[in-house]
């Protein structure tokens, strides 16, 4: 199995708290992006002290309360399944703070981390604050919820978006990359994908590859899997009959999303 593909761990870490995924700089090649997906049973709590990392807490499904021990946001979350295709609520918590998540209902919560040493205010990113984008044409259409885009100055290095791609369409396509710290041409952002499929027995194909093909992995990605994108182009193809969801976390030395399209395939944009 590709080292870039992660299947759910589903490790119970305390009563009512299951660690579904845990991507760290120790167990991956990523230096900027860290990620946890946790499942919380009703009433379960998860507390974390942040060091020099910031965190975007995404109420992926279900309802949660979030506090940084100074301010508390209650009843966050807008959906029982991501395939309701509505934006959800998130909370930004900066470095050197402690946060606690309390499950109001059964909940799946994404914890998206990146480096931070300039403490910023804790901020509710409500569903209504998500910019919704409809990108692409033909069989390249997808819908994007911008949870924490680079246009939002609330974070130091973190970028968080979620993407819905319908049956028979492609996303992150034409293939693009952001693996060179070469602004204004291209930014360097590591990336993680947390994938879900509807119906859940579905799969997508995701390729991660570099210009010199020193990295060239094509993966069958199933419901609940993650894909780690340290470098390279990273297109996703969705078979007929299924809808794809993925949550992206990106971070790098500069908080700008400036991608570079694969020249072999950029002609597709010219229609
Ligand atoms: O670089 C960002 C990720 O590849 C996705 O968020 C991608 O941009 C989604 C899309 O535009 O299809």
């Amino acid at each position: 199995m590709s080292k870039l593909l992660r299947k759910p761990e589903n490790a119970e870490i305390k009563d009512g708290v299951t660690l579904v995924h845990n991507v760290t700089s120790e167990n991956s090649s990523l230096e900027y992006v860290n990620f946890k997906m946790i499942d919380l049973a009703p009433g379960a709590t998860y507390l974390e002290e942040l060091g020099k990392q910031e965190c975007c807490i995404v109420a992926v499904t279900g309802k949660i309360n979030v506090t940084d021990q100074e301010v508390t946001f209650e009843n966050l979350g807008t959906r029982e399944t991501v395939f309701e295709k509505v934006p959800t609520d998130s909370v930004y918590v900066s470095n050197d703070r402690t946060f606690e998540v309390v499950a109001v209902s059964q909940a799946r919560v994404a914890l998206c981390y990146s480096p931070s040493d300039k403490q910023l205010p804790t901020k509710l990113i409500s569903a209504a604050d998500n910019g919704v984008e409809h990108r692409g044409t033909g069989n390249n259409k997808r819908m994007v919820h911008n949870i924490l885009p680079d246009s939002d100055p609330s974070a130091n290095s973190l970028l968080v978006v979620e993407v819905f791609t319908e049956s028979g369409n492609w996303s992150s396509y034409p293939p693009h990359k952001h693996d060179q710290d070469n602004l204004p041409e291209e930014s360097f952002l590591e990336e993680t994908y947390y994938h879900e499929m509807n119906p859940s027995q579905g799969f997508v194909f995701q390729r991660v590859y570099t210009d010199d093909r020193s990295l060239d992995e094509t993966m069958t990605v199933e419901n609940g899997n993650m894909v780690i994108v340290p470098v390279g182009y990273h297109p996703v193809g969705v078979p007929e009959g299924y809808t794809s969801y993925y949550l992206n976390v990106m971070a790098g030395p500069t908080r700008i999303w400036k991608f570079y399209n694969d020249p072999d395939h950029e002609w597709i944009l010219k229609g």
Side-chain angles (χ1 to χ4, degrees), residues 135 140 142 144 161-163 165 170-173 176 178 189 191 193 234 246 248 250 257 259:
R135 289 181 190 159
N140 204 25
R142 63 277 193 196
V144 180
V161 300
E162 58 184 13
V163 181
T165 310
W170 287 73
S171 56
S172 304
Y173 191 84
H176 67 241
H178 32 73
L189 296 172
E191 185 163 18
Y193 279 68
H234 38 277
Y246 50 76
N248 287 137
M250 292 179 274
W257 181 49
F259 57 85

Side-chain angles (χ1 to χ4, degrees), residues 64-193:
I64 58 175
N65 298 337
V66 175
T67 182
D68 68 355
Q69 303 186 330
E70 292 176 10
V71 61
T72 299
F73 303 106
E74 295 185 336
N75 278 319
L76 303 183
T78 62
R79 59 201 188 191
E80 288 308 307
T81 160
V82 298
F83 296 105
E84 292 176 35
K85 298 181 198 166
V86 294
T88 190
D89 300 316
S90 304
V91 177
Y92 169 82
V93 181
S94 203
N95 53 279
D96 302 307
R97 287 190 186 275
T98 296
F99 70 83
E100 183 174 46
V101 181
V102 180
V104 176
S105 72
Q106 180 69 33
R108 176 158 287 197
V109 182
L111 305 175
C112 314
Y113 306 89
S114 62
S116 174
D117 60 11
K118 184 184 73 173
Q119 194 175 80
L120 295 172
T122 298
K123 180 182 177 185
L124 170 64
I125 304 168
S126 67
D129 292 338
N130 282 215
V132 179
E133 269 185 78
H134 294 277
R135 289 181 190 159
T137 58
N139 295 330
N140 204 25
K141 289 194 281 292
R142 63 277 193 196
M143 177 175 70
V144 180
H145 293 162
N146 286 296
I147 297 171
L148 201 47
D150 57 5
S151 56
D152 178 342
S154 305
N156 287 310
S157 57
L158 198 54
L159 298 162
V160 182
V161 300
E162 58 184 13
V163 181
F164 298 82
T165 310
E166 296 297 345
S167 167
N169 280 265
W170 287 73
S171 56
S172 304
Y173 191 84
H176 67 241
K177 70 181 183 69
H178 32 73
D179 63 12
Q180 299 297 315
D181 189 5
N182 180 31
L183 288 169
E185 302 307 319
E186 184 177 348
S187 59
F188 171 44
L189 296 172
E190 296 173 343
E191 185 163 18
T192 59
Y193 279 68

Side-chain angles (χ1 to χ4, degrees), residues 13-14 17 19 36 38 40 44-48 99-103 111 113:
I13 55 176
K14 63 175 278 196
V17 182
L19 185 62
K36 290 189 184 80
I38 59 175
L40 299 174
T45 63
Y46 176 86
L47 181 135
E48 185 166 341
F99 70 83
E100 183 174 46
V101 181
V102 180
L111 305 175
Y113 306 89

